[in-house]
Amino acid sequence: MGFREQAARVRRIVGIVLAVLLIGGVAVAVAAGRDSGDKSTATKTVRGVIGSEKAEFFADPDVVKALAAKGLTVKAETSGSWAMDQLPLKGYDFAFPGSKAPADELQRRSAVKGGPLRPFYSPLVVVAHRSAAQVLAGNGLATLNGKSSGKLLMGPYLRAARADRTWQQLEGADRHAELTGTVFITSTDPVSSNSGALYLAAASYVADGGRVAADEAAIDRTAPLLKKLIQVQGAQQTSSDAPFRDFISGVGNPLVLVYESQVASLLMQRQDTGDLVLLYPDTTVSSDHTLVPLTDTGRRLGELLSTDPKLRKLAVRHGFRPQGAAAEFTAATADHTDYIDQQLTGVRQAPVPTATVLRAMARRTRG
């Protein structure tokens, strides 16, 4: 090899080494910059387990930013609300199921003083395709208020379920080829999921003449009907998110139990709702999203979600109703009253059985 070729080769090697050193130097500089950043913006990581219906809220960049401004970064995993007490919660700062009953069980494992916090809530509703809603209304199972909202009449609906009524037996259904088979509402798995369990609570309350199930005898009285409501569905999801997305995309059952927040969030994001009709059961249950602090940091998160004006506003943007401040939700949904019943007019709230009774009720639907 000649002198010029050797010199060129040496220059190339030196250039590569310098490039590597330069890159390394930049990497070190970036790392150092991160380490020496403004400590006033540092956040404390808060680990928790949440119901999937709150996943979009915690993933919202504006929520992340608002929490960071208060010194917190939330790392959340999703779980069915009624399955949370089966999780090893060591190392978690909070658990955030969708209602009070599973929260009460989780609270027994917390040494943090002060009890759970309920920053927001959402009533259970049924979304229906317009054809299904019109047929239900024409047969006395629902009432409609315009094209986009109405009420599901729980008494007549449960009587139809007990009799195994089919769509073909309902007047007007023959004009809609998609309405076939048994009339039923798709819900989540009541053994593991909050909305599915609360569906049983409302149904049992109505079926038993307005009595809250409190013992084995009460469970016996409604068990055959509740078993029908669940087993007619076949395989069930553990989260209301999947069946709601299926409904919006036009597949699946024409009647689906969801949270009002899921519909309200869609409306406030100006997304297409297709032929969705929002039916409020005339007897329903509100899902009180209940945060159980497992550490003092978890309690701080719950307090911020309950009291911070910006976080409350963001909760409303995701369709939730803040506790103790109906005006915030009313203002945010003012353009969507063709769907949203802001005052829940004529909607009766069914009391929820204890966690022990509700679990036993759910298990009976599988037997």
Side-chain angles (χ1 to χ4, degrees), residues 39-341:
K39 297 299 182 183
S40 66
T41 62
T43 60
K44 184 178 181 64
T45 298
V46 193
R47 288 191 65 213
V49 58
I50 62 173
S52 61
E53 70 283 341
K54 294 181 282 288
E56 287 191 5
F57 170 75
F58 281 108
D60 184 334
D62 290 335
V63 173
V64 173
K65 184 177 179 180
L67 287 169
K70 299 295 182 178
L72 299 180
T73 297
V74 173
K75 299 293 183 184
E77 303 165 21
T78 60
S79 166
S81 292
W82 287 87
M84 287 183 186
D85 69 331
Q86 306 300 316
L87 298 175
L89 294 177
K90 185 177 181 180
Y92 286 80
D93 296 291
F94 69 97
F96 204 172
S99 64
K100 180 179 182 296
D104 286 344
E105 291 195 344
L106 290 161
Q107 178 62 28
R108 297 188 189 102
R109 298 167 61 180
S110 175
V112 179
K113 295 181 179 179
L117 300 101
R118 293 187 286 277
F120 42 73
Y121 69 99
S122 184
L124 287 177
V125 297
V126 173
V127 289
H129 291 300
R130 186 163 293 122
S131 58
Q134 290 171 343
V135 170
L136 292 178
N139 288 269
L141 304 180
T143 60
L144 295 181
N145 179 25
K147 292 183 178 181
S148 302
S149 67
K151 285 189 176 61
L152 178 74
L153 306 180
M154 284 292 284
Y157 167 72
L158 292 177
R159 287 193 290 273
R162 187 179 281 112
D164 299 316
R165 295 281 293 278
T166 65
W167 286 105
Q168 292 91 327
Q169 293 172 326
L170 300 183
E171 184 178 346
D174 57 344
R175 295 193 292 271
H176 307 283
E178 71 277 12
L179 299 179
T180 61
T182 305
V183 178
F184 69 90
I185 294 170
T186 292
S187 70
T188 54
D189 181 356
V191 174
S192 61
S193 171
N194 182 64
S195 57
L198 295 184
Y199 178 40
L200 297 187
S204 67
Y205 180 77
V206 174
D208 204 21
R211 288 181 288 182
V212 184
D215 52 29
E216 195 68 26
I219 295 173
D220 289 342
R221 287 194 294 270
T222 60
L225 172 60
L226 300 186
K227 185 175 180 179
K228 278 190 175 187
L229 295 178
I230 299 304
Q231 294 200 350
V232 70
Q233 300 181 44
Q236 292 179 289
Q237 302 277 355
T238 58
S239 162
S240 61
D241 185 57
F244 181 59
R245 290 184 185 278
D246 286 345
F247 177 90
I248 293 297
S249 65
V251 300
N253 192 42
L255 303 173
V256 180
L257 185 81
V258 299
Y259 295 104
E260 179 197 56
S261 59
Q262 292 172 283
V263 181
S265 176
L266 203 69
L267 292 169
M268 285 188 275
Q269 293 173 35
R270 307 290 178 180
Q271 294 189 29
D272 182 19
T273 56
D275 67 346
L276 181 150
V277 177
L278 181 54
L279 299 177
Y280 288 84
D282 60 0
T283 301
T284 190
V285 175
S286 281
S287 179
D288 288 317
H289 297 281
T290 306
L291 188 147
V292 179
L294 303 175
T295 66
D296 290 338
T297 307
R299 168 157 290 282
R300 172 158 170 73
L301 172 64
E303 290 170 347
L304 286 172
L305 294 175
S306 300
T307 62
D308 183 75
K310 188 166 188 177
L311 287 167
R312 288 171 66 89
K313 184 176 181 180
L314 289 168
V316 169
R317 192 170 79 183
H318 283 269
F320 299 110
R321 294 176 181 246
Q323 294 282 3
E328 296 173 77
F329 184 81
T330 299
T333 57
D335 293 338
H336 308 294
T337 53
D338 48 340
Y339 290 92
I340 302 295
D341 185 346

